[in-house]
Amino acid sequence: MSGRNRSNPLALAVLICLFERPMHPYEVASTLRQRHKQESVRLNYGSLYAVVASLERRRLVAPVETEREGRLPERTVYELTAAGRAEMHEWLAELVSIPSKEYPSFEAALSFLPALAPGEAVALLEERIQRLEIQLALGDAAREHVDRLGIPRLLWVEAEYRGALLHAEHEYVVRLVEEIRTGTLDGSDWWRAVFADPGRPTPVPLPGLGVHDVGHRAEKTD
Amino acid sequence: MSGRNRSNPLALAVLICLFERPMHPYEVASTLRQRHKQESVRLNYGSLYAVVASLERRRLVAPVETEREGRLPERTVYELTAAGRAEMHEWLAELVSIPSKEYPSFEAALSFLPALAPGEAVALLEERIQRLEIQLALGDAAREHVDRLGIPRLLWVEAEYRGALLHAEHEYVVRLVEEIRTGTLDGSDWWRAVFADPGRPTPVPLPGLGVHDVGHRAEKTD
DNA sequence: GTTCGGGTACTCTGCGCAGAGTATACAAGG
DNA sequence: CCTTGTATACTCTGCGCAGAGTACCCGAAC
């Protein structure tokens, strides 16, 4: 009843909007954008209508009326069902209380770092640092602006969280660059050597770790 | 030639494996798993073969031979093309140097936090804190284990990064809970009031921010 | 001696979701 | 007055990707 259907948070956003009052999908989108939820939840119309259709199939929402104004396309207004209210609550509780494994693309990038020459890696990481600093500054500016408008922090926590992660990433990358630079990072000597050798045969050996049970045992691939 | 094709990092992982030497898809998967890349890159066979097919269409990889052992299914070995080498390098450089907007599910959860009763929110966040502490401990254990095996940190940076983010999240959530508890979080009084009122009419008003241009102006929804 | 788990090597199927397109109304600008 | 842009309200299309299934082989266990 729930499992893999809880993949797209946009569906949760829809449930929460309809919890407030019945709306048609486009109105849901407008509401979410007005509240800047599109910063935290991927939103586009293609997905929105698909998601609403899926919620309807699962009987979590139901159409109440379909109105039409002039010759504009017909609007179908949906309301939340009892099951929908339950699902909303349960899902949100799960999202808050259980950290889920995610795959940030920079983590992937880092895991492939030795495939770049050390010098290039440093240059690119420094570029990233600059971009991160811009984002941090933008975040601060937004924060101040919102403060001036007197918007309570409660409605801004997601942005604070984003800022905290951004800050941590910045800190980490700065340290990492420093360690590659100074050679403090264990393995960077080998790294440099491999790329210094002209005509290296196996470009990037990346030796296997040979560890198959570190903590959380072997979540299966498939 | 690149754009939306750079969505799935698994494709990059494949390119990097084939950069080392020609392999068949299953071997790519085994290699990635052996090196614990499945912690950083979503890997499953269904996607793998699709991704390889897509790379082949884009002429970034090409089949070299197809062997067969006994009556086991035929294995198609792929190699990297010149275009593939270029794409690999360019893509990896982009991934390292340009931070990309991501949508961690906890950010979504936080943005909907006021839809929960304050007391419940606190309880759930505390549950999360415990789970985060477990993950941090597991990470440390893995770290120590890998240290003992003498694996250079260079090959472990992605896990360090994950740890740093995890740490930041933990710190943030602890602070947040504290602030909700003590009422230091601006808006929590209103929050409590709304949920204290029995028979509240508009369950969660979540007033719109009314800000439409904070920094980065209006990336379009569609 | 056969059954059972686990490894090899893919294939099949079908929903999810993004991007682009459609059609109408309205407001402002030249 | 005619165009250009923007907002409203969806629909269409098709790839991406995950999960499950297939088919074979092997070693160990009962």
Side-chain angles (χ1 to χ4, degrees), chain B residues 58-136:
Chain B
R58 295 170 59 205
R59 304 292 157 100
L60 302 177
V61 306
V64 262
E65 47 168 347
T66 95
E67 19 176 272
R68 131 168 298 157
E69 215 165 281
R71 265 192 289 172
L72 280 170
E74 190 177 36
R75 307 182 293 194
T76 308
V77 177
Y78 292 86
E79 68 175 359
L80 203 55
T81 66
R85 266 185 297 280
E87 171 66 4
M88 175 195 96
H89 183 264
E90 210 186 312
W91 189 359
L92 180 50
E94 180 194 316
L95 227 49
V96 169
S97 61
I98 304 177
S100 79
K101 170 120 198 74
E102 314 221 354
Y103 297 84
S105 54
F106 185 54
E107 189 185 324
L110 282 179
S111 85
F112 299 134
L113 204 60
L116 291 169
E120 195 185 2
V122 165
L124 293 169
L125 287 170
E126 277 168 342
E127 214 181 304
R128 185 183 195 87
I129 290 173
Q130 299 222 335
R131 293 212 161 88
L132 288 174
E133 280 162 2
I134 291 174
Q135 282 186 222
L136 281 166

